[in-house]
Amino acid sequence: MEDTSTSAGHKRAISASRFEGSPCPAHFNITRDIISEAAATCPDKIALMVVTGPNETDPIERFTYAELEAAIQALASHLLKSGVTRGDRVMIRMRNTPTYAFTVFACFAIGAIALPVSDQLTDSELHILATDAKPSTVVFSASVMSSALQSAPHLIDAEEFRSLSTKSNLDFDYANTSPNDPALLIYTSGTTARPKGVLHGHQMAWGRRPMAEGWYGLTPNDRLMHAGAFNWTFTLGTGLIDPWMAGATAIINTGPRDPDIWPKLLKRTDATLFAAVPGLIRQILKYAGSAVTDLPSIRHAMIAGDTPPNGLFEDWQIATGTPLYEALGMSEISTYISCGPNVPRRPGAIGRPQAGRAVAILPETDPSTKPLPTGEIGLLAVHRTDPGLMLGYWNRNDEEREVFRGEWFIGGDLAEMDQDGYIIHHGRDNDVMKPLGYRIAPQEIEDVLVAHSGVAEAACTEVEIKNGVRVIAAFIVPEHPTSPPSEADLLKHASANLAAYKCPRIIHIVDTLPRTANGKLTRSRLATRVNT
């Protein structure tokens, strides 16, 4: 950590003044420089395992690095023949199959921009994305095709596309892209009703290199299972790009996703690493029974994408005998702060900035770019020179200007940095509740509520009960749905463990909390459940 002392003798909360990792090569193509290189050095090694169930009779698809490259090249050639040119947006909306992943990397190979979307989006949501991105091509599964996408110049049926992936193409030439050439466009809802496109260049893969040591301890011998679907950027990065960059094996489940399935899949595939959101880890510990204690090949698990509930790290360690390592990231930068085998976890902290990253804590209200002293809470920022950082927002120059302060990108996380460089997270700036002028992170209240014996899950948000009057509402998933705790009991528990101004004023008992398909809590949808 850079030692920039203040007048009071304290360090400034900054890891470095700019990215200090090795620079990305002048010409870099994600598919060529990751997949093709691995296919040349270890062609017969298993690159991808796709499992459909935990039983010995359930099929497993296996692709070597040579087969992976051949499939990607065949699809890339077909995209070119279909009229896709460099810089075109290719929207991918299909079922969770290997063809999904191959299509993304085929886009990278020819210099097109991959636009992966979930098969669960509604027609109106797809219309917004298609209108904004104007894809030249849509690769789709017929069962999830939408009228909102019919106007794209080129439509390619995924079933036909998959059959092409078995055909070899010895004459394929990769696009000679540069680090800043666009490669991936992903849409995030953020804090607004209109989704915004986050545009990444080919250098995003290079920018992920610090994670291998700072989070995974990743080696070519590893077999990394990711619990997400192919369309999710967490899966594309942690589940595919990173293991393939290390010459390791990626494992994806396209079958049932019940909590008790995952330990059986991990054991069946001899997975050494497991990546998921905290909510899924908690469900596995709760519902998988003794299976979670029998994972002989697992070295550790990794979590990102949401705030872990209290006790999760300890519960995983007790059940599995292996560590659980956390990372912090977002669509614009992926994960850049973490703990791992070489960065010991410190209770209360996420971890440290990964090697080479330039991270600072900047004042929240003062527009200064001078980092705060260690121990003070401010806005978490990462330097513009980080190759993992987005190129910008698609057609949103106004919002792009708002997230940069000088050379620093500010994503909206509130945090502090201690004397040893560890980052303590204090919630998202847009999640922070401000009833009666107090600033309260919802996670603090949620942790207290979950400690109640009758509460399985909890989430909090701020709601307006009448004009100008906003209060905290808590949404409770009971441990036993047929006998939920009473509102009075929950409020008594909260008042015994929280300051009066932090206590929720409204309690709602619900069956489930709103989450994405990959298990991430979406607090922005909580307020719609309040009837006042």
Side-chain angles (χ1 to χ4, degrees):
M1 177 175 153
E2 184 175 277
D3 186 1
T4 51
S5 299
T6 69
S7 58
H10 298 291
K11 291 181 178 179
R12 291 285 180 187
I14 180 171
S15 63
S17 57
R18 59 181 293 113
F19 183 75
E20 295 180 341
S22 58
C24 188
H27 295 283
F28 187 76
N29 180 286
I30 293 174
T31 305
R32 180 192 63 204
D33 290 275
I34 294 177
I35 307 301
S36 185
E37 182 175 323
T41 57
C42 51
D44 298 325
K45 183 171 183 178
I46 299 299
L48 177 64
M49 295 174 62
V50 181
V51 294
T52 59
N55 303 313
E56 291 300 322
T57 55
D58 294 319
I60 295 180
E61 288 187 274
R62 293 176 173 85
F63 300 87
T64 66
Y65 274 103
E67 291 168 338
L68 178 62
E69 183 182 36
I72 292 170
Q73 287 185 351
L75 298 185
S77 296
H78 187 71
L79 289 175
L80 290 171
K81 292 175 183 176
S82 299
V84 179
T85 61
R86 190 162 168 167
D88 281 355
R89 275 80 63 205
V90 178
M91 181 178 283
I92 307 164
R93 176 179 166 85
M94 64 175 76
R95 293 299 187 190
N96 192 38
T97 68
T99 309
Y100 203 126
F102 298 166
T103 304
V104 172
F105 284 82
C107 293
F108 298 158
I110 64 174
I113 303 172
L115 172 51
V117 299
S118 169
D119 62 3
Q120 298 188 32
L121 295 182
T122 65
D123 287 352
S124 59
E125 290 171 319
L126 286 170
H127 178 73
I128 292 171
L129 268 56
T131 301
D132 190 56
K134 295 180 174 57
S136 73
T137 303
V138 176
V139 183
F140 65 94
S141 294
S143 59
V144 293
M145 185 49 172
S146 166
S147 59
L149 307 178
Q150 293 283 1
S151 61
H154 306 293
L155 299 174
I156 300 176
D157 189 300
E159 289 303 315
E160 172 193 352
F161 211 40
R162 173 153 192 164
S163 67
L164 295 169
S165 68
T166 61
K167 303 180 184 299
S168 61
N169 188 343
L170 300 178
D171 300 323
F172 181 79
D173 290 324
Y174 289 98
N176 193 25
T177 50
S178 298
N180 286 325
D181 284 343
L184 181 67
L185 180 60
I186 48 179
Y187 276 82
T188 175
S189 59
T191 58
T192 64
R194 188 164 65 101
K196 57 187 175 186
V198 178
L199 185 64
H200 281 280
H202 282 263
Q203 67 178 4
M204 69 164 182
W206 188 268
R208 301 184 64 86
R209 286 158 55 96
M211 299 179 207
E213 181 177 351
W215 190 19
Y216 309 135
L218 193 59
T219 74
N221 296 323
D222 277 313
R223 298 156 75 91
L224 192 158
M225 177 178 284
H226 197 289
F230 283 117
N231 69 278
W232 195 20
T233 53
F234 187 12
T235 310
L236 288 173
T238 299
L240 298 178
I241 290 177
D242 297 342
W244 289 345
M245 194 154 39
T249 298
I251 309 171
I252 300 292
N253 171 35
T254 62
R257 312 183 75 78
D258 304 308
D260 63 321
I261 292 288
W262 294 102
K264 300 172 187 176
L265 293 175
L266 293 168
K267 185 175 182 179
R268 185 184 180 204
T269 57
D270 294 321
T272 60
L273 304 173
F274 181 48
V277 294
L280 179 58
I281 294 291
R282 185 180 183 281
Q283 289 180 318
I284 290 171
L285 291 171
K286 182 176 180 180
Y287 297 112
S290 60
V292 78
T293 66
D294 185 20
L295 302 175
S297 59
I298 286 290
R299 293 208 330 271
H300 60 260
M302 296 99 66
I303 54 171
D306 210 347
T307 303
N310 275 345
L312 189 69
F313 298 95
E314 295 78 10
D315 291 345
W316 176 267
Q317 179 77 50
I318 291 169
T320 69
T322 66
L324 181 64
Y325 296 124
E326 184 182 6
L328 176 70
M330 59 191 309
S331 299
E332 290 87 341
I333 181 64
S334 192
T335 59
Y336 59 107
I337 293 166
S338 57
C339 56
N342 299 312
V343 183
R345 190 179 78 84
R346 178 171 292 182
I350 295 169
R352 286 173 168 166
Q354 294 159 358
R357 309 277 193 201
V359 172
I361 307 296
L362 300 182
E364 186 178 358
T365 54
D366 180 352
S368 169
T369 58
K370 188 175 183 180
L372 293 169
T374 55
E376 291 194 17
I377 299 173
L379 290 167
L380 186 60
V382 61
H383 201 265
R384 190 191 291 267
T385 52
D386 195 307
L389 188 62
M390 67 173 183
L391 299 178
Y393 291 125
W394 183 261
N395 294 332
R396 303 285 275 274
N397 291 336
D398 53 339
E399 291 194 37
E400 193 173 319
R401 285 190 292 270
E402 291 175 3
V403 297
F404 280 95
R405 187 184 296 182
E407 294 298 295
W408 294 97
F409 167 78
I410 299 172
D413 288 293
L414 291 170
E416 63 179 288
M417 182 183 292
D418 70 14
Q419 290 282 341
D420 298 319
Y422 278 84
I423 301 295
I424 297 93
H425 194 246
H426 291 276
R428 297 278 300 164
D429 184 46
N430 50 45
D431 275 344
V432 170
M433 303 175 293
K434 304 171 185 176
L436 303 176
Y438 293 103
R439 295 180 57 85
I440 307 166
Q443 296 91 341
E444 183 180 0
I445 303 171
E446 292 161 2
D447 285 346
V448 168
L449 292 172
V450 168
H452 187 287
S453 60
V455 175
E457 295 182 274
C460 295
T461 193
E462 191 178 3
V463 298
E464 189 170 50
I465 56 173
K466 59 183 179 180
N467 189 32
V469 179
R470 304 183 66 83
V471 299
I472 298 171
F475 298 78
I476 304 297
V477 177
E479 187 74 33
H480 305 290
T482 57
S483 55
S486 68
E487 179 176 355
D489 188 33
L490 290 170
L491 291 176
K492 180 180 178 181
H493 171 77
S495 64
N497 294 278
L498 291 166
Y501 67 89
K502 296 180 183 179
C503 289
R505 297 294 184 264
I506 298 174
I507 299 285
H508 283 275
I509 302 296
V510 296
D511 294 330
T512 60
L513 297 178
R515 296 185 181 275
T516 66
N518 293 299
K520 186 174 180 179
L521 177 66
T522 51
R523 289 189 181 86
S524 60
R525 291 165 52 197
L526 288 170
T528 62
R529 299 188 176 191
V530 177
N531 296 313
T532 56

